[in-house]
Structure formats: structure tokens, C-alpha cells
Amino acid sequence: MNTPARLGAYLLGLAVLFGGALGAGRAADTAGLTPQATPHTTASPAPGETSVPEGLQVSNNGYTLTPRTTTVEPGQETDFRFTVTGPDGRPVTGYQVQHEKKLHFIVVSRDLGGFWHLHPREAGGGEWSVPLTLPAAGAYRAFADFSPEGGDALTLGVDLLAPGDYRPAALPAASRTTTVDGYTVTLDGDLTPGALSKLTLSVAKDGRPVTDLQPYLGAYGHLVALRDGDLAYLHVHPDGEPGDGRTAAGPGITFYTEVPSRGAYRLFLDFQHGGVVRTASFTVRTGQAAAPASGTGEQAGHGGHGGHAH
């Protein structure tokens, strides 16, 4: 089978998964949990409408993510440009600042092996520009996470293709511990579909808890959760913030989030220490026994598995 046919078959399979995911129910059951800070939220659906997880749509509430191109040559830096058009059909130029940025741009590989948290610059006239390098041939998903002035927070998504021979990797096994650049990050807590879940991620280096995490974009950590199969997107922020008089600079960073269904999720934690931002990644499965905290865990790193641009 030639390369276009292989990519076409792969994306067709993703479309089937996407269609099935939209039917998942979302129950509300948050009794007894009262976090000090709320997660990233979006507008509630109108009466009679079905709530769709963020990131699955290229257009929502009248806003549309419009890239100049959806094809990027693998291994080559590209000046990737896009706009967000509003309900009036014009590029949006007014954005609310959230965690020190007007817009957060996330790119992941469709097999969830690669993750990049990027910060585009405004090029004028509502257009955004960001240097983007897709390391290898394959299918990717790009998310624009923003709040327009006078509007609710939104995450819009679009598929990107890097042409060439491609075979998706298997989802990494579930684990409570992962390592990145000599840091060990341990996950405590479980995801409960339809309910607010508490997750605490603790950072250690050389066997010692890290107690001097540095603020990154106004927080000690940022967490993105993506559902395996259709890449439904959740971007949550930690309980508390630097300088509030109650939030410690590590080792634990606590988050509250809600997942819409059972299944496997990939978690990506950005944290800063020693002036460097690193990304720790986990696979979590709902409705199953917790994976042991001991063992080799997952090896995380850069070079195609995580990165940042500012």
C-alpha cells in the first residue's frame, strides 16, 4: 500500500473512533469536592444541545480555527500561520490574557507520543505565527486554546499531516511514575468519568523532593489531558498559584479535572525548575486498578516527545 493510502486508512480509522466518542454520556457528580481553583471551563450547551468535549471541533460558538495549510514537511521548520475567525466572519484580534498569554497552541502526534506546548506571536490583522517542526512523517493534531474578549474559553482543533512513510506507535502503558531529564514525577489520584477528580503530581530529583519549583506562565505546573482515540482535550490548572500565601513551590502540584468518559487518557505536565521547562507524560486508564508506583516507569524527554517555544 502506498503512503497516501496508508495515511488515508489511518485517518479513516480515527474518524470512526471520533464518531463513537461523541456518543459518550457525561454525568455530573461533584458532591464533596470544593477545590480552591476551578479548571479551565467552557460555555455550557444550550437547552437541547449535547455537550461535546473541547478540541474535537474546528468551529464552535461561531469561532473557527483557520490554518493557512494543514500539510507540513517533516523535519523542516515551518512558519506556521493561522487565524481564528469570529461570528462576524472576521479574524479575531481581541483576546483575554490567560496565564500570561493571549493564546496557547498545543500540537500532539495522533498516537500521543509527541507533545509540544507552543506560544505563537501576533503577526498583525488577527493572524498568528509560530515556528513549527514536525519531527517525522505522520498525523498530528493542533489545538488553539484561548478566550476571546467578551466570550467564553474555547479550544479548537485541526488535523495536520506530515507526508511520508508512517506507522503509529502503541500507546505507552499506564504507570504512576515517569522520568524526564533526571526528574521523577509521581502521580497520585484517579480519573473518575463524569465527576471532578483530584490529581497530585509530585516532582523529585536524585531521590529528593523538589521544593523550589519555578512559576511557569503564572503557575507551578500546567496539565493537558487528551483522550486516546479522538483526542478530546482538557486543559486544567493547579489549585492555587505562586505568591498566594498558601501554595507551596513543590513537590506536589494538585489539579482538579473532569473527564467525559471511560477509557485511556494521556496526561502531559509542564513544570519549570532550574530555568528549564520540562514535560512529564503519563498514560492513565479510568475504571481500573491503579498502576504500581514502583518500577521503571516511563521515560519521557524531548527530541520529539515534548517541547516548548515562546
Side-chain angles (χ1 to χ4, degrees), residues 222-235:
H222 294 267
L223 184 67
V224 170
L226 295 166
R227 182 168 59 187
D228 182 40
D230 63 358
L231 306 194
Y233 175 104
L234 299 97
H235 192 175

Side-chain angles (χ1 to χ4, degrees), residues 17-18 20-25 52-53 56 110 112 171 225-234 259-266:
L17 288 170
F18 168 78
L22 291 183
V52 176
L56 295 181
R110 270 286 186 177
L112 293 175
L171 189 72
L226 295 166
R227 182 168 59 187
D228 182 40
D230 63 358
L231 306 194
Y233 175 104
L234 299 97
V259 296
S261 69
R262 291 181 178 273
Y265 290 82
R266 192 79 170 137

Side-chain angles (χ1 to χ4, degrees), residues 136-153:
Y140 297 79
R141 185 76 171 169
F143 301 95
D145 184 345
F146 64 94
S147 292
E149 285 185 353
D152 294 299

Side-chain angles (χ1 to χ4, degrees), residues 157-186:
V158 65
D159 282 337
L160 305 178
L161 289 179
D165 195 14
Y166 168 59
R167 183 181 297 275
L171 189 72
S175 176
R176 289 286 179 171
T177 302
T178 188
T179 59
V180 52
D181 294 347
Y183 291 81
T184 300
V185 184
T186 303

Side-chain angles (χ1 to χ4, degrees), residues 5-256:
R6 282 197 298 270
L7 281 174
Y10 176 60
L11 292 176
L12 177 61
L14 289 174
V16 172
L17 288 170
F18 168 78
L22 291 183
R26 186 178 184 179
D29 181 14
T30 59
L33 285 175
T34 310
Q36 296 295 321
T38 57
H40 187 80
T41 57
T42 56
S44 300
E49 292 184 353
T50 300
S51 176
V52 176
E54 289 293 299
L56 295 181
Q57 298 171 295
V58 72
S59 184
N60 192 16
N61 287 352
Y63 295 88
T64 302
L65 174 59
T66 306
R68 278 195 180 181
T69 180
T70 55
T71 302
V72 177
E73 287 298 319
Q76 298 182 15
E77 183 177 292
T78 300
D79 179 18
F80 188 81
R81 292 180 176 242
F82 63 93
T83 59
V84 175
T85 56
D88 60 1
R90 299 177 179 178
V92 176
T93 57
Y95 292 85
Q96 303 175 46
V97 174
Q98 291 189 315
H99 287 265
E100 302 181 358
K101 297 289 182 180
K102 294 182 179 180
L103 184 145
H104 296 264
F105 193 66
I106 307 294
V107 178
V108 297
S109 59
R110 270 286 186 177
D111 61 12
L112 293 175
F115 174 90
W116 299 267
H117 186 170
L118 311 174
H119 298 286
R121 66 174 181 84
E122 293 179 275
E127 186 173 65
W128 295 87
S129 171
V130 63
L132 175 63
T133 302
L134 300 181
Y140 297 79
R141 185 76 171 169
F143 301 95
D145 184 345
F146 64 94
S147 292
E149 285 185 353
D152 294 299
L154 290 171
T155 302
L156 303 178
V158 65
D159 282 337
L160 305 178
L161 289 179
D165 195 14
Y166 168 59
R167 183 181 297 275
L171 189 72
S175 176
R176 289 286 179 171
T177 302
T178 188
T179 59
V180 52
D181 294 347
Y183 291 81
T184 300
V185 184
T186 303
L187 171 65
D188 181 50
D190 297 295
L191 295 175
T192 301
L196 201 61
S197 302
K198 178 181 178 181
L199 302 175
T200 299
L201 295 105
S202 299
V203 183
K205 184 173 174 59
D206 300 326
R208 298 180 180 180
V210 174
T211 58
D212 58 345
L213 291 171
Q214 297 167 325
Y216 171 59
L217 300 177
Y220 287 127
H222 294 267
L223 184 67
V224 170
L226 295 166
R227 182 168 59 187
D228 182 40
D230 63 358
L231 306 194
Y233 175 104
L234 299 97
H235 192 175
V236 295
H237 297 293
D239 179 29
E241 60 185 25
D244 64 4
R246 66 177 184 85
T247 303
I253 314 168
T254 296
F255 298 86
Y256 290 88

